[in-house]
Amino acid sequence: MKFKSKKYSIDSTDYQVGQDNVSKWGMDIHTNVFSVSIGLSLLFIITLLALSPNEAKEAINSIKNAALTNFDYVFMWGANILLLFAVGIAASPLGKIRLGGDKATTDYSTLSWVSMLFAAGMGIGLIFWGVAEPTAFYTDWFGTPLNAEAFSEQGREMALGATVFHWGLHAWAIYGMTALCLAYFVYNKGLPLSMRSIFYPLLGDRVWGKLGDVIDVMAVLVTLFGLATSLGLGGAQAASGISHVLGFKSSLLLQQGIILLIMSLAILSIVRGMDGGVKLLSNINMGIAFVFLGLVFILNFTTVLDSAYTAVIGYVKNIIPLSSSTGREDTQWLHGWTVFYWAWWVAYAPCFGMFVARISKGRTIREFLVYVLLIPTLVTTAWMSVFGGVAIDQIINEVGVLGANQGITDVTLSLFYMLDAYAFGTLLSLLAVALIIIFFVTTLDSGSIVIDSLTSGGKLEVPIKQKLVWAVIASIIAMLMLWIGGTDSIQALQYITIIAALPFTIILILGCISLVKGLLTETEQLTPIPAK
């Protein structure tokens, strides 16, 4: 591979990609990262099982709350700094640098690329929280943003604006900067696709030793536990939706069955490869999502337009006060929502970042950052305006279950309660269940690819069975946690992931500094030697 500058590249080190790997059971794995990741995963699970689910959840929850409360400024300013990095790099001359070199070409069309990054990033979250979050903020379910008055016009503006804030520029800056750091060092410097590579300009050859192993193991664990958490909670939501639509009681058996279905479809997707698997499913899912969005939009044309305007105004007016952690009186809301969200995005950043890095060769850094920041923010604004705006309108006009209860009674059913108000609500609910399942398949598929890369020394091409192993392990963890303690166990796993996000916030900021050091090598000019 020819590099514009060999500084910080694979040519500047004696390390060879995959040199610490061994071949076992038909797999090509990094000895330390693979074995330690498996060992710590089992230790965490055994420890959780040794305690009662409720005790485990409460013990871990207390640690999680302490982290979110005492270090809220780390998460808040961490997200702000990552957004400033993204905007600054995109606007600077460094934005002209192309991932993979000046002559690199893209592997995927812009539409497929955006569909994949969206499906891997937040697609499933929008289904779950599209109705529940704006409704919660409007009705003071767990505090209101900036202490806005609940059930008021100001409260409506703040509810929609704060929801867009949580799913907008800050969130995608966390994801986007992680992905950019990885993509640059992989495609422009030839380093392995692993989290340790980001820190080569700062740590030198030490990243190939124990310190790098620690970074990669941390990334594996937060990705694995994040996947298992999403699968467990998603299985519960899908089971609730199916039971609600078809009129029978949700059960553990149904939840387990849904997780098995998701795992089976993810395995099929992995076997079919990137083009025939996650790319195809992402395109299908985005098509279904826009049909779903369009139907609800048409049914509520006037309400949606007003909600979209209100959401944008609420977001723009309040982005600065919502971004600050000082002088806030709405601390319950701040810690329970914003800080929790920033921690969750950071925890999921290695998974998203590594997957998006893998599919982003050939794009300029400016193009990459503009698309990653703006398009998902616009889509999430539209989604929240449609579903959140309609839900709030139902509450105001006392329509359907949400209107009768004046808010949330069951978070997992909030979307389905909103859809029940329509004559063909059953059809819309079935579309929602289909979206949930397919989004989870793409999430498990992309997550398995990421963990596999981390545990194989950053190699891009490895035996397919390795990816299958991690899809199965994540699914087994989710099923086991649900079987032992239901959502209490799953939430305990989620809280462990959130705790791990605290050091990872610092790691991501250091990664951005390292990225800038790397990017500056692209602009270094040789000083001509004056003639004597």
Side-chain angles (χ1 to χ4, degrees), residues 66-403:
L68 296 185
T69 302
N70 297 321
F71 297 97
D72 55 1
Y73 63 93
V74 174
F75 292 111
M76 295 296 288
W77 280 105
N80 292 337
I81 289 169
L82 290 170
L83 178 57
L84 291 175
F85 262 113
V87 173
I89 291 174
S92 75
L94 298 176
K96 296 179 181 179
I97 297 172
R98 188 173 298 277
L99 298 174
D102 295 337
K103 297 181 180 180
T105 58
T106 60
D107 295 325
Y108 304 97
S109 69
T110 299
L111 180 60
S112 292
W113 178 65
V114 169
S115 296
M116 284 191 284
L117 73 87
F118 193 78
M122 293 181 182
I124 189 60
L126 295 183
I127 303 295
F128 191 94
W129 289 108
V131 168
E133 186 172 339
T135 301
F137 297 167
Y138 179 69
T139 60
D140 193 6
W141 187 61
F142 192 75
T144 62
L146 301 178
N147 280 345
E149 182 183 351
F151 297 99
S152 68
E153 185 55 34
Q154 180 210 16
R156 176 172 172 267
E157 180 182 287
M158 283 300 309
L160 291 169
T163 302
V164 174
F165 171 71
H166 286 155
W167 299 81
L169 294 175
H170 283 79
W172 287 96
I174 293 170
Y175 280 176
M177 287 307 300
T178 307
L180 178 60
C181 290
L182 287 158
Y184 175 75
F185 285 110
V186 170
Y187 293 123
N188 293 67
K189 296 297 185 181
L191 300 180
L193 181 58
S194 62
M195 287 297 295
R196 72 176 76 203
S197 296
I198 296 176
F199 303 97
Y200 182 56
L202 297 179
L203 301 175
D205 285 340
R206 284 178 294 172
V207 298
W208 314 126
K210 300 298 183 184
L211 189 57
D213 291 346
V214 170
I215 294 172
D216 280 348
V217 168
M218 285 181 63
V220 169
L221 293 178
V222 294
T223 301
L224 181 62
F225 290 162
L227 283 177
T229 299
S230 296
L231 278 173
L233 296 178
Q237 187 198 21
S240 295
I242 292 172
S243 300
H244 178 74
V245 173
L246 300 180
F248 57 83
K249 188 176 180 179
S250 180
S251 66
L252 175 62
L253 182 62
L254 179 60
Q255 294 172 1
Q256 304 282 36
I258 289 171
I259 293 175
L260 281 175
L261 173 63
I262 292 170
M263 182 185 74
S264 301
L265 293 174
I267 288 174
L268 178 61
S269 176
I270 291 169
V271 170
R272 287 176 58 86
M274 191 76 78
D275 287 345
V278 69
K279 173 189 170 183
L280 177 63
L281 287 175
S282 296
N283 288 337
I284 292 173
N285 222 21
M286 289 304 291
I288 297 174
F290 278 107
V291 169
F292 188 42
L293 185 72
L295 287 172
V296 179
F297 173 71
I298 292 170
L299 292 170
N300 304 272
F301 185 76
T302 304
T303 299
V304 168
L305 288 182
D306 180 64
S307 296
Y309 175 78
T310 302
V312 172
I313 294 299
Y315 182 37
V316 173
K317 282 173 55 177
N318 298 289
I319 186 172
I320 293 178
L322 288 172
S323 300
S324 175
S325 60
T326 57
R328 297 281 290 266
E329 297 181 358
D330 58 334
T331 52
Q332 180 192 36
W333 183 88
L334 173 68
H335 295 146
W337 289 98
T338 303
V339 181
F340 183 89
Y341 264 132
W342 284 185
W344 187 245
W345 298 157
V346 168
Y348 212 78
C351 176
F352 175 86
M354 291 189 67
F355 176 74
V356 172
R358 189 172 180 133
I359 62 175
S360 298
K361 186 179 71 173
R363 303 187 184 277
T364 66
I365 288 177
R366 181 170 297 124
E367 176 191 10
F368 176 91
L369 288 172
V370 168
Y371 274 89
V372 169
L373 287 177
L374 294 185
I375 291 183
T377 297
L378 291 174
V379 173
T380 54
T381 299
W383 191 276
M384 295 302 186
S385 298
V386 171
F387 291 94
V390 170
I392 291 175
D393 185 68
Q394 289 184 359
I395 292 171
I396 293 172
N397 295 294
E398 299 184 1
V399 173
V401 176
L402 293 178

Side-chain angles (χ1 to χ4, degrees), residues 425-445:
T426 299
L427 174 61
L428 292 174
S429 293
L430 290 174
L431 273 178
V433 171
L435 277 173
I436 291 169
I437 291 174
I438 301 177
F439 268 132
F440 269 118
V441 172
T442 55
T443 299
L444 183 56
D445 186 345

